[in-house]
Amino acid sequence: MSWNSEQKMQFLFTLRSKGVTDPRTLGAMEKVDRGQFVRGHFEDRAYDDMPLPISSGQTISQPSIVGLMTQALNVQPRDKVLEVGTGSGYQASILSHLARRVYTVDRHRRLTRESEALFSRMDLHNITVITGDGSFGLPDQAPFDRIILTAAAEDPPGPLLEQLKIGGIMVLPVGQSDTVQNLIKVTKTEAGLDYEELCNVRFVPLIEGLG
Ligand code: SAM
C-alpha cells in the first residue's frame, strides 16, 4: 500500500496537532510512507495515529510518538545513531534521512531480515541492521551521537549510557513494562547526565537475549 497526497496531508496534520512541529522531523516523516511497513489486515490503518501489530508479536509505534521521539533526539546530519528495537524498520527509515549513519538492533531475526530487505528496496543505504540484544549496545561502533530505544527499560541501560558521546542525547521509555511509562530524554554532559521527562507512553518491554 502506498499513500496518496490527501492521506499524506492528513498524516502530517495529525502529527502537528500532537506536537510534532520540528520542520526537519516533519520533512523526514513526509519521505517515509508508513504503508510500506504495515502488512495484511492492518494495511488500511497504516495512516492512523495508532500502534499496529507487525510480525514476531511486535508493534510498529504510533506515528505521533515516533515524531516526538525523533524531534527530541535532535539528530544532526553528521550523527551516528543507534536504535534499539528495529521492529518494522519505520523509525530507522526516518532517522536515515536525518543522520549520517544509523545502526539498528532487534532481538528478532525475522524482523531484522524483513527490515533489511525493505531498506534495500527503499534505497536507504546508510542503515546497518543487526540481530542481537540491544541493551548491551554496539561496543565496536561506539560512541554514538544519539541513541533511541523503542522498547521500555526500567532504567536507562548502563552500557548504552557509556556508549553515548559527551554532548550526546538518548531518548527512551522508562518504567514497568505493563504500566504507563515515561518517555525521557537524557543528555550527557561533561558534568554528568541531565534528565528531562517528555510524556507518558506505552511500549513493549526491552527483553534480554534473542527472540
Ligand atoms: N522502532 C520500531 C518501528 O519503527 O517499527 C518499533 C519497535 S517495537 C515497539 C519494539 C521492538 O523492540 C520489538 O521489535 C522488539 O523485538 C525489540 N526489542 C525488545 N527488547 C530488545 C532488546 N533487548 N534488544 C533489541 N531489540 C529489542
Side-chain angles (χ1 to χ4, degrees):
M1 174 167 183
S2 50
W3 55 5
N4 58 39
S5 56
E6 199 176 311
Q7 286 169 317
K8 193 190 275 197
M9 244 172 54
Q10 182 57 47
F11 186 80
L12 293 170
F13 177 82
T14 304
L15 291 176
R16 281 195 206 92
S17 73
K18 300 272 177 90
V20 184
T21 52
D22 169 49
R24 288 189 311 122
T25 299
L26 288 167
M29 292 186 78
E30 188 176 356
K31 290 188 186 127
V32 182
D33 177 357
R34 192 172 185 250
Q36 303 297 310
F37 300 84
V38 179
R39 295 273 165 271
H41 291 324
F42 297 97
E43 269 185 26
D44 58 349
R45 314 300 297 270
Y47 308 117
D48 292 354
D49 192 31
M50 52 164 58
L52 293 171
I54 55 170
S55 45
S56 303
Q58 301 304 313
T59 51
I60 178 172
S61 309
Q62 185 177 344
S64 58
I65 298 298
V66 172
L68 290 172
M69 290 176 83
T70 307
Q71 181 167 280
L73 207 57
N74 191 22
V75 178
Q76 301 301 308
R78 300 299 307 155
D79 283 354
K80 182 161 69 163
V81 180
L82 171 64
E83 179 195 28
V84 177
T86 312
S88 67
Y90 179 61
Q91 173 77 75
S93 303
I94 293 164
L95 294 171
S96 84
H97 289 287
L98 296 167
R100 176 172 58 85
R101 176 140 292 276
V102 178
Y103 292 87
T104 182
V105 187
D106 205 288
R107 57 190 291 279
H108 287 286
R109 192 172 303 279
R110 178 169 172 191
L111 291 175
T112 53
R113 272 211 208 107
E114 288 174 355
S115 301
E116 209 164 26
L118 205 48
F119 298 151
S120 141
R121 279 210 297 283
M122 296 170 91
D123 280 330
L124 299 175
H125 301 297
N126 63 342
I127 310 176
T128 306
V129 188
I130 292 139
T131 307
D133 182 345
S135 42
F136 297 105
L138 294 175
D140 292 350
Q141 303 301 337
F144 296 96
D145 301 285
R146 301 289 186 265
I147 300 179
I148 179 169
L149 278 81
T150 62
E154 284 193 22
D155 293 300
L160 297 182
L161 289 173
E162 276 167 29
Q163 290 172 33
L164 188 63
K165 272 189 196 166
I166 301 285
I169 297 172
M170 183 185 317
V171 172
L172 74 160
V174 287
Q176 300 292 328
S177 59
D178 51 354
T179 58
V180 172
Q181 304 129 6
N182 231 318
L183 186 64
I184 64 165
K185 171 176 173 174
V186 184
T187 308
K188 191 170 186 176
T189 69
E190 295 279 4
L193 299 168
D194 286 344
Y195 292 85
E196 187 187 335
E197 292 187 4
L198 302 176
C199 59
N200 288 335
V201 285
R202 192 159 188 175
F203 274 84
V204 297
L206 191 72
I207 297 173
E208 278 180 24
L210 289 184

